[in-house]
Amino acid sequence: MKLKQFILGVLFTLIMPTAMNAQTIKGIVEDENGQPVPFSNVIDKVAGNGVTTDANGKFAIKVKALPATLIAKYVGYQNKTFTVATDATTVIVNLAPNNSLDEVVVTGNRAKTRTVLSSAVPIDKIYAEDLKSSGQVTFDKMLAYKIPSFNSSTQAISDATAHFDPADLRGLGPSRTLVLVNGKRKNQSALVYVNDTPGKGEVGTDMKSIPFSAIERVEVLRDGASSQYGSDAIAGVVNIILKKQTNFTEVSTTSGITSQGDGFNFGADLNSGFKFADKGFVNFNVSYLDQNKTNRPGSPGKDDLFGVAADDPTWGDYLKNNPTLGMNIGQPDTKMGALVVNAEYPLSEKTTLYAFGDVNIRKGTSFALYRVPYWPDVSDPFNLLHAAGTTYNGFQPTFNTDVFDNLGSVGIKSTLLGFSSDFSVTAGSNKVDYTIANTLNPSLGANSPTEFNAGGYTFSQLVGNADFSRSFDKVTLGFGTELRREQYEARAGQEESYINGGAQSFPGLQPSNALKKDRTNVGIYSTLDYDVSDAFLIGGSIRYENYSDFGDNFSYKVNSRYKVTKDITVRGSFSTGFRAPALHQIYLSNVQTLVSGNTISNQGTFNNVDPAVIGLGVPKLHAEKSQNISTGITLRSGSHFSTSLDFYHIKVKDRVLFTGEVGFDADNTTTNPVEEILLANNVTSMKFFINAVNTVSRGADIVLSYKNLDLGAGRMTFNLSSNISKTEIQGQIATPAILKANGYDIFNRKEQGRILNSRPNTKVLFGMNYDINKLSVIMNNTYFGSVKWQHATDPTKDQKFSGKVITDFGFSYKFTSTIAVNVMVNNLFNVYPDEIDAKGDVVTNLGGRFKYPWEVSQFGINGTTFTAGLNFKF
């Protein structure tokens, strides 16, 4: 008994001083305007334990003794380290917003994280709140209104392209921008943009597949990075970083409508998370979007395309009652649902297991050209599309897409032999199925369906990565390998969709178009950075890749950065790069319906391995090669003002292009090799992919930011950024000898214009945010420079569409620290592109059906849109 009392006495003696010295620190975490920051973290710097503030920003944390050093953290704000010497009063901690030049970025250097200021290449870092302030509905449009060199706009009457919206950096096409999620390669979409839109012939990533509400931030590397990340990174890299927070649940709802009463949309997002096993976390995001179509057709009241005048004796009344010729031209109907999960679990102090993934399901309905009743072969004698006894007024086929996109990655980060290591496996796929409805196959008569399964495509990839890095004093070494398997599948539609000319608007994929092809590639890389001094950095990277279908490639990069002063930095880089031809571009084949003049015809796309194409002397596709030179300067003045100016010069050799229409010549007495192919396949023209053009892109990016200007009652932030660029074609188009000998121009002026002028060569963003107490006011002005449509053969019929300024205005108000409302008016002054001037060429606007440009694009044709949203946390 005495022994037990002795032990208890010793324990009491040891514990009592600790208990007596333990202190509780109470406080409030606020932002720069004095508003509470709910669910932020407060951590004891010595002990490592922490607490989360409540809905009013209040916290209470126990420390062993005073004084104590604490750290306050919250996403989008600078960490605040502070010391508390007494617990007599409530501590007030003010967090300042992140200054972009001081923020750490993980993109652009695979071995060592650096800040935007210390990076040797230009990088933009954008948080989810900044994306949301654009007022746009989808992630790709948000980026377009936040990054001057990023382009994306909705397309119309363009089959599946209307549901994916080609997006690119620096006007170099969707194929040349690499997209990562948490640093891992995101799969491309299954679609090739084969219609007459920007990005024609390209393959891009489905930027709509990840909802912005799951995103913590986006890092955009505006520099060639093939030697670091592999194929596709010629223009740059978009790295999407998913949310990790587990402190609260956030629910957002948004709804909007255009000033013309169409385009109604409703979206809802839920983001939440939880910790498990004390150390791990899971963050998950559920999103839903329902977006209705818009319609902005021309109103010609006549049909010059088919030579039908407004006072036509037969069709005059029809044209009077249908002045828009029945067209639906605008954004498609879209419904989307998505689930995103991001998780980590520390197995030990040095080893962490992680996993993330997303599933996106999207359904869309767009439209083809309206089939007016006087078109040839579009009658409905069996009353399939109109009721018996009613007047037949034609029909407008719909093009419906079912898109399924998914990505999953699992990996483990650890330390091996002093090297930081990251082993991962990432799988992703994009599947799209087509349904053609409200149409018919005239050859089937009364037995024709009015809805057809037209087939579809799938692209999938499986990627294994092993990455290692280690710092040796001033030298940082990184190396690793990537193994990738890609597969492309084309599925035939039902027989009725393609037989005997097929369904009107889009004949389904035929069994001869169906295939499943795959390839593998192995890449190894190494990076080396040498911090010669605190001011001077030099570095570089090399990469070797070998593809199973076309061979190998070697690329490299050298870069440097020098801090002239602590506030002025100069930087530069030179790199070579490459882009492997996509499996889609090698193997795609299909038939499409064309309307030109007063004829309707079928055009065939022949794949690159088709004997007919090979017989014309078209070579096997090989990798594009690039050279990228970049130089720039950054300047910071105090903690509020920063600016950067970067110049770039990008050469792309042997660009893969999708040819223009190659059809019958004017000589009806002979049959040339092309015509033999057309007759054998029952098409009137053909297209194919070929490495055939070299381009040079020159430009400059400028970014200026002044944050938190103190105006007494509130604070204001200004942001000005701009991209100015120009792309030129160098040398001659590489036309195969057989085609050249027969007088064919495989890439005419119209097709060249899509590379040169279909995107604005100048874009300027000027934004202002004013915060006063609970109110935030937002005004964004975006200047979209001019674009130019080029006629195929006659320069006098070219048209330049002038630059326009789009003004977005809105505000948000925090009723409490957890409930907020926001209202946004996009395109406040209802600005539209210039109208099309046909200049005597009725195909330019398809007989007046199109009022606004459709083969070149600036900012869309929806006009003013009103949006309101509610956000709350708990």
Side-chain angles (χ1 to χ4, degrees):
M1 182 63 116
K2 290 183 178 181
L3 178 61
K4 181 178 180 180
Q5 291 176 339
F6 174 75
I7 294 174
L8 290 174
V10 171
L11 292 175
F12 181 79
T13 302
L14 293 173
I15 293 172
M16 275 303 295
T18 302
M20 293 176 64
N21 289 334
Q23 303 288 334
T24 299
I25 299 174
K26 297 182 178 180
I28 301 175
V29 178
E30 298 179 344
D31 63 16
E32 74 279 12
N33 297 314
Q35 297 299 310
V37 181
F39 313 117
S40 53
N41 294 318
V42 179
I43 301 169
D44 184 337
K45 186 176 181 180
V46 175
N49 62 293
V51 296
T52 300
T53 63
D54 64 15
N56 297 310
K58 295 180 179 180
F59 68 90
I61 184 172
K62 290 184 178 181
V63 296
K64 290 183 178 181
L66 296 176
T69 300
L70 306 178
I71 304 173
K73 297 181 176 181
Y74 192 69
V75 173
Y77 290 83
Q78 298 179 36
N79 293 346
K80 180 69 173 287
T81 302
F82 58 99
T83 301
V84 180
T86 174
D87 62 350
T89 59
T90 299
V91 179
I92 297 178
V93 185
N94 292 104
L95 296 183
N98 269 325
N99 185 305
S100 62
L101 287 181
D102 286 332
E103 293 184 275
V104 172
V105 290
V106 298
T107 310
N109 191 311
R110 301 195 69 156
K112 183 178 182 180
T113 59
R114 299 188 183 275
T115 66
V116 173
L117 178 63
S118 66
S119 174
V121 292
I123 301 175
D124 299 302
K125 187 173 184 179
I126 306 173
Y127 285 98
E129 286 303 311
D130 296 323
L131 293 171
K132 189 175 181 179
S133 69
S134 70
Q136 301 298 313
V137 175
T138 57
F139 172 55
D140 58 327
K141 302 301 183 297
M142 293 176 179
L143 277 184
Y145 279 81
K146 288 297 180 181
I147 303 293
S149 58
F150 187 88
N151 300 287
S152 176
S153 58
T154 300
Q155 308 302 310
I157 314 294
S158 54
D159 296 342
T161 302
H163 304 275
F164 284 83
D165 299 348
D168 63 31
L169 274 172
R170 293 177 167 175
L172 283 171
S175 298
R176 295 165 196 87
T177 299
L178 176 63
V179 178
L180 309 174
V181 178
N182 282 355
K184 307 301 179 183
R185 179 180 284 263
K186 168 70 176 163
N187 56 280
Q188 294 178 317
S189 75
L191 176 72
V192 182
Y193 305 117
V194 296
N195 294 86
D196 291 340
T197 67
K200 183 177 180 180
E202 304 270 0
V203 179
T205 300
D206 185 1
M207 300 294 280
K208 297 177 182 293
S209 63
I210 298 181
F212 86 93
S213 56
I215 299 171
E216 176 187 295
R217 68 183 189 275
V218 181
E219 295 179 2
V220 180
L221 167 62
R222 294 178 276 115
D223 193 48
S226 293
S227 62
Q228 297 155 290
Y229 296 103
S231 177
D232 307 337
I234 288 176
V237 177
V238 176
N239 189 9
I240 300 167
I241 311 298
L242 301 178
K243 286 180 178 178
K244 296 183 177 181
Q245 70 83 16
T246 60
N247 299 329
F248 56 87
T249 296
E250 182 173 12
V251 177
S252 299
T253 60
T254 304
S255 186
I257 194 169
T258 73
S259 59
Q260 293 199 24
D262 59 6
F264 175 81
N265 65 76
F266 174 79
D269 303 278
L270 182 148
N271 184 273
S272 188
F274 56 88
K275 295 181 180 180
F276 67 95
D278 295 328
K279 299 177 182 180
F281 77 84
V282 174
N283 178 270
F284 62 91
N285 191 94
V286 180
S287 294
Y288 172 78
L289 174 65
D290 187 346
Q291 179 176 280
N292 292 349
K293 71 179 180 69
T294 58
N295 190 21
R296 305 291 183 268
S299 302
K302 57 180 180 176
D303 192 351
D304 290 336
L305 190 64
F306 281 81
V308 180
D311 58 355
D312 184 275
T314 304
W315 300 107
D317 288 341
Y318 172 84
L319 294 171
K320 181 179 179 181
N321 295 327
N322 299 276
T324 64
L325 303 178
M327 294 295 291
N328 273 279
I329 299 174
Q331 73 181 21
D333 278 311
T334 302
K335 288 182 173 61
M336 183 274 291
L339 171 65
V340 182
V341 178
N342 189 25
E344 288 186 9
Y345 180 72
L347 300 175
S348 67
E349 291 185 3
K350 295 183 178 181
T351 303
T352 299
L353 178 69
Y354 64 87
F356 61 88
D358 74 87
V359 175
N360 183 289
I361 300 173
R362 195 165 71 248
K363 294 180 178 292
T365 300
S366 59
F367 299 88
L369 291 173
Y370 194 94
R371 269 57 183 167
V372 288
Y374 49 77
W375 277 20
D377 300 323
V378 296
S379 60
D380 184 23
F382 302 103
N383 306 117
L384 299 176
L385 297 172
H386 76 291
T390 63
T391 301
Y392 173 59
N393 287 317
F395 59 93
Q396 183 164 32
T398 62
F399 191 95
N400 306 321
T401 57
D402 290 303
V403 180
F404 181 81
D405 186 278
N406 67 92
L407 178 72
S409 184
V410 61
I412 187 167
K413 295 181 180 180
S414 188
T415 301
L416 296 175
L417 303 176
F419 283 84
S420 297
S421 63
D422 183 354
F423 298 91
S424 66
V425 176
T426 305
S429 68
N430 184 272
K431 178 184 178 183
V432 56
D433 287 303
Y434 303 149
T435 300
I436 314 303
N438 196 45
T439 189
L440 49 79
N441 184 335
S443 71
L444 299 179
N447 296 320
S448 174
T450 58
E451 181 174 302
F452 303 83
N453 167 18
Y457 303 99
T458 300
F459 177 78
S460 59
Q461 68 176 28
L462 180 65
V463 186
N465 291 95
D467 304 301
F468 305 88
S469 64
R470 183 176 180 179
S471 293
F472 301 88
D473 192 16
K474 294 184 177 182
V475 175
T476 301
L477 173 67
F479 60 92
T481 184
E482 180 177 278
L483 310 177
R484 187 162 79 248
R485 180 181 181 272
E486 299 175 335
Q487 184 177 86
Y488 174 68
E489 178 186 7
R491 295 178 296 280
Q494 67 186 87
E495 184 178 18
E496 294 90 342
S497 70
Y498 60 79
I499 193 171
N500 298 328
Q504 278 291 319
S505 81
F506 186 89
L509 300 183
Q510 303 177 25
S512 60
N513 304 133
L515 49 76
K516 183 181 289 187
K517 296 290 183 179
D518 59 51
R519 71 179 176 198
T520 59
N521 85 293
V522 179
I524 56 174
Y525 76 92
S526 180
T527 65
L528 183 69
D529 280 0
Y530 177 35
D531 288 282
V532 180
S533 65
D534 290 339
F536 186 36
L537 162 72
I538 57 174
S541 55
I542 57 175
R543 188 182 191 96
Y544 172 80
E545 296 227 13
N546 185 273
Y547 283 76
S548 61
D549 58 345
F550 73 84
D552 57 5
N553 177 81
F554 177 81
S555 55
Y556 66 90
K557 181 174 185 175
V558 291
N559 55 68
S560 183
R561 177 225 67 210
Y562 183 73
K563 296 180 181 179
V564 181
T565 69
K566 67 181 182 66
D567 294 324
I568 301 175
T569 300
V570 293
R571 60 193 179 193
S573 70
F574 174 83
S575 63
T576 63
F578 77 105
R579 188 189 76 83
L583 284 174
H584 321 43
Q585 293 174 317
I586 298 173
Y587 294 109
L588 175 74
S589 63
N590 61 26
V591 174
Q592 291 177 283
T593 301
L594 295 182
V595 178
S596 181
N598 60 358
T599 62
I600 302 175
S601 57
N602 281 342
Q603 168 190 281
T605 295
F606 291 72
N607 67 34
N608 186 252
V609 297
D610 192 303
V613 170
I614 296 173
L616 293 175
V618 178
K620 182 180 179 181
L621 291 183
H622 57 268
E624 302 174 355
K625 302 291 184 67
S626 69
Q627 290 184 351
N628 191 315
I629 301 173
S630 176
T631 182
I633 183 171
T634 64
L635 169 67
R636 178 178 60 184
S637 178
S639 60
H640 300 292
F641 178 76
S642 63
T643 183
S644 65
L645 175 63
D646 292 277
F647 299 92
Y648 59 89
H649 183 281
I650 306 170
K651 290 184 178 180
V652 183
K653 182 181 179 182
D654 294 340
R655 267 176 84 149
V656 176
L657 58 83
F658 190 41
T659 67
E661 299 168 28
V662 178
F664 289 93
D665 62 21
D667 184 359
N668 296 325
T669 63
T670 61
T671 303
N672 66 42
V674 170
E675 294 169 337
E676 291 175 358
I677 297 172
L678 301 180
L679 293 171
N681 290 274
N682 194 30
V683 293
T684 57
S685 61
M686 65 182 296
K687 292 186 175 184
F688 51 86
F689 290 90
I690 183 174
N691 296 89
V693 68
N694 302 330
T695 61
V696 175
S697 299
R698 303 177 181 89
D701 295 316
I702 184 170
V703 179
L704 296 93
S705 176
Y706 195 102
K707 295 190 174 184
N708 302 314
L709 174 63
D710 192 347
L711 299 178
R715 293 178 180 271
M716 183 169 283
T717 294
F718 299 90
N719 292 285
L720 175 65
S721 55
S722 176
N723 172 256
I724 302 172
S725 63
K726 183 178 182 180
T727 296
E728 298 175 331
I729 293 176
Q730 284 195 328
Q732 300 294 316
I733 306 298
T735 305
I738 295 175
L739 292 165
K740 183 180 290 187
N742 285 277
Y744 286 104
D745 183 358
I746 66 170
F747 204 61
N748 60 34
R749 295 184 73 257
K750 182 178 177 180
E751 303 299 334
Q752 293 175 31
R754 296 189 218 285
I755 291 178
L756 304 177
N757 308 304
S758 65
R759 300 287 199 187
N761 289 327
T762 300
K763 190 173 167 188
V764 182
L765 312 180
F766 178 60
M768 298 178 290
N769 287 43
Y770 180 61
D771 299 313
I772 176 171
N773 297 323
K774 298 181 179 182
L775 177 67
S776 294
V777 181
I778 302 166
M779 177 171 281
N780 298 319
N781 293 278
T782 306
Y783 172 74
F784 293 88
S786 63
V787 294
K788 183 180 179 182
W789 179 84
Q790 294 186 178
H791 190 271
T793 58
D794 187 352
T796 65
K797 293 180 180 178
D798 294 353
Q799 183 173 358
K800 184 177 181 179
F801 299 88
S802 62
K804 307 281 185 177
V805 176
I806 304 299
T807 300
D808 304 320
F809 178 80
F811 68 87
S812 63
Y813 186 82
K814 294 182 179 179
F815 292 103
T816 69
S817 59
T818 58
I819 301 176
V821 65
N822 59 81
V823 175
M824 197 79 183
V825 184
N826 292 101
N827 198 347
L828 178 65
F829 300 110
N830 204 34
V831 176
Y832 283 86
D834 292 343
E835 296 183 13
I836 297 174
D837 179 3
K839 297 183 180 181
D841 184 352
V842 295
V843 179
T844 302
N845 61 0
L846 291 183
R849 289 167 170 79
F850 283 83
K851 184 177 182 179
Y852 303 109
W854 53 297
E855 295 185 81
V856 296
S857 65
Q858 293 165 289
F859 48 84
I861 55 173
N862 281 347
T864 301
T865 302
F866 304 96
T867 304
L870 179 66
N871 179 276
F872 58 95
K873 301 176 182 179
F874 56 89

